[in-house]
Amino acid sequence: MIFKEALRRELSFTTGGVFLVLVTIMVTTLVIRILGYAANGTVNPEDAVVLIALATLGYLAVLLTVSLFVATLIVLVRWYKDSEMIVWFTSGLSISNLIRPILQFATPLIIIIALLALFVWPWANRETTLISQRFQQRDDVSMVSAGQFKESARAERVFFIEELDVDKSEVKNIFVADNKNGRLNIAVASTGYIKNSEGGEKSIVLHHGRRYEGQPTQSDFRILEFNDYTTKIRSKETLAPAPRDREKTITELLNLNDSNPATLNANRAELLWRIGLPLMALGLVLIAIPLAYVNPRLGNYTAMFYAVLIYLIYSNLLNLTQNFVAQGKFSVFVGIWPIHLLALLIATVLIRNRINPSVKWWRRQIPASFMKK
């Protein structure tokens, strides 16, 4: 009980520490990427914090999987290096006795990983898409702000308003430039107001201004003065785009009424990845138990190198299987079990080899008559 309690406590602290480090790295990367999108005008700068939070929530399942695997390795490697495993073994316990307490610690986290992959991942992706689409489908009036040049969503129109009274819908010193069919139209006025028409359409009405049409170097260039000039602002209703595979709920992925085979295969492939993530976490934890062996006299950390290699191979095989299922090369029922079964077999062989050293174990499998020859 003392050993198990110490193991559980150290696993908790180490998993929390590794998870915080990975989240910090993830958030830093997302800040750089999303701020770049905001600078390019792809997303609204005001939504940057929300988008970063949603992206972090979406990747929590992957981060927890890696944290659990790395933390198990770090704890057991330290125990080997500091000869604490020798105390464990001399107490009459073997490496197989580590499996139960480690799985007891890992099971709640694996359940959380499953819930994050099945429900939080699609929700975060869907909200991110809606926020981006809402910004891209914004109407021109939503961009009007005093003292700034603002470009419309389709880059057809540029507004500048020096003063804006939101309560009275009044504007002063307005500049509007339109570029339609290759012809430039510029209108300037000292005063105006925002007009709400029937059907939700909005317009800006300019008073006592001047309008310039065409290019000054061309013969059809005109300068017009007006008392009132109305420029329409398209109030576009935000359309919810069709959900992508990564944005669909479990119910939508299990829907078999779609007659399109490509859509069905893509749904099954996405479902395979979501179910495979908690199974991968379980497989990695079991592999970490024998993989963490370190000779106390050497005290090296080569196990961490193999851990990175195993994780990359495991995750890439899972993604490759997902692609094969999406392309219809084989069924989801065929693709869901080979990788995880292979991980379980590898963990079993490594644990068996660690309980009985490999040389002696193989000698027991070879007939004695063959050894004499």
Side-chain angles (χ1 to χ4, degrees):
M1 292 299 296
I2 295 176
F3 284 128
K4 292 180 180 178
E5 187 63 30
L7 176 63
R8 194 176 296 113
R9 182 174 59 252
E10 192 161 350
L11 281 173
S12 301
F13 286 123
T14 307
T15 303
V18 173
F19 180 72
L20 287 178
V21 171
L22 292 178
V23 168
T24 303
I25 297 173
M26 174 64 69
V27 170
T28 304
T29 305
L30 290 173
V31 166
I32 297 173
R33 187 175 68 182
I34 293 178
L35 288 182
Y37 291 155
N40 294 332
T42 307
V43 298
N44 190 351
E46 297 179 358
D47 296 331
V49 176
V50 178
L51 292 174
I52 292 170
L54 288 173
T56 304
L57 283 175
Y59 285 105
L60 281 183
V62 177
L63 296 180
L64 272 178
T65 300
V66 178
S67 300
L68 187 58
F69 180 42
V70 173
T72 305
L73 272 174
I74 290 176
V75 171
L76 295 183
V77 166
R78 192 195 68 78
W79 278 29
Y80 275 110
K81 185 174 178 293
D82 296 344
S83 300
E84 292 187 24
M85 291 300 295
I86 297 177
V87 179
W88 180 284
F89 294 146
T90 54
S91 301
L93 301 174
S94 68
I95 193 173
S96 60
N97 297 109
L98 289 170
I99 298 176
R100 184 173 180 179
I102 289 178
L103 287 183
Q104 286 177 345
F105 168 79
T107 299
L109 293 179
I110 293 175
I111 294 175
I112 294 174
I113 291 171
L115 294 176
L116 289 172
L118 293 174
F119 302 105
V120 177
W121 162 258
W123 174 81
N125 290 328
R126 184 63 173 167
E127 290 298 317
T128 300
T129 301
L130 288 177
I131 291 174
S132 301
Q133 290 290 333
R134 190 181 303 120
F135 178 71
Q136 294 175 6
Q137 295 178 356
R138 67 198 185 280
D139 56 22
D140 295 342
V141 75
S142 65
M143 305 182 306
V144 174
S145 57
Q148 295 182 2
F149 284 93
K150 292 293 184 178
E151 188 179 39
S152 65
R154 296 183 179 181
E156 296 175 347
R157 183 177 299 146
V158 175
F159 289 95
F160 176 83
I161 294 177
E162 186 175 358
E163 295 182 19
L164 172 64
D165 190 336
V166 179
D167 296 331
K168 298 181 180 179
S169 297
E170 293 181 354
V171 291
K172 294 182 179 180
N173 296 334
I174 312 107
F175 171 90
V176 181
D178 288 317
N179 189 0
K180 294 182 180 179
N181 300 322
R183 186 175 179 82
L184 181 64
N185 297 320
I186 298 175
V188 293
S190 57
T191 59
Y193 64 94
I194 299 175
K195 178 182 178 182
N196 296 318
S197 305
E198 296 182 0
E201 191 177 61
K202 295 183 179 181
S203 305
I204 292 183
V205 180
L206 284 68
H207 292 317
H208 307 293
R210 185 172 294 178
R211 183 180 175 188
Y212 304 88
E213 293 184 359
Q215 299 292 337
T217 57
Q218 296 178 357
S219 59
D220 59 350
F221 177 73
R222 297 190 303 171
I223 300 177
L224 307 174
E225 293 185 355
F226 56 83
N227 291 328
D228 292 313
Y229 174 73
T230 303
T231 176
K232 292 184 179 180
I233 299 175
R234 299 180 182 89
S235 296
K236 296 183 289 292
E237 183 179 350
T238 302
L239 302 176
R244 297 175 295 173
D245 303 328
R246 60 192 301 176
E247 301 167 3
K248 293 181 180 179
T249 63
I250 297 298
T251 305
E252 292 172 334
L253 292 178
L254 293 175
N255 183 17
L256 302 178
N257 296 328
D258 199 319
S259 59
N260 189 352
T263 304
L264 288 176
N265 291 333
N267 291 346
R268 292 167 181 170
E270 176 66 20
L271 189 62
L272 179 144
W273 184 86
R274 295 187 196 178
I275 296 175
L277 203 58
L279 293 177
M280 184 175 73
L282 177 61
L284 289 174
V285 168
L286 292 175
I287 291 176
I289 296 174
L291 187 66
Y293 172 76
V294 173
N295 190 333
R297 296 180 180 179
L298 299 178
N300 54 24
Y301 285 86
T302 55
M304 299 303 297
F305 169 77
Y306 292 116
V308 174
L309 187 62
I310 288 173
Y311 173 78
L312 291 177
I313 293 174
Y314 203 151
S315 60
N316 285 329
L317 284 176
L318 184 60
N319 293 332
L320 187 63
T321 306
Q322 180 187 8
N323 291 334
F324 284 160
V325 173
Q327 295 170 10
K329 293 185 177 180
F330 48 77
S331 170
V332 63
F333 301 104
V334 176
I336 197 171
W337 59 267
I339 301 175
H340 308 295
L341 180 61
L342 179 62
L344 182 61
L345 291 176
I346 292 175
T348 303
V349 171
L350 291 177
I351 292 174
R352 174 78 179 273
N353 183 46
R354 192 53 55 200
I355 294 175
N356 301 306
S358 57
V359 175
K360 296 180 182 179
W361 183 74
W362 284 110
R363 283 180 177 176
R364 283 200 298 269
Q365 310 304 317
I366 301 175
S369 60
F370 183 79
M371 292 294 294
K372 291 179 181 179
K373 293 180 182 180

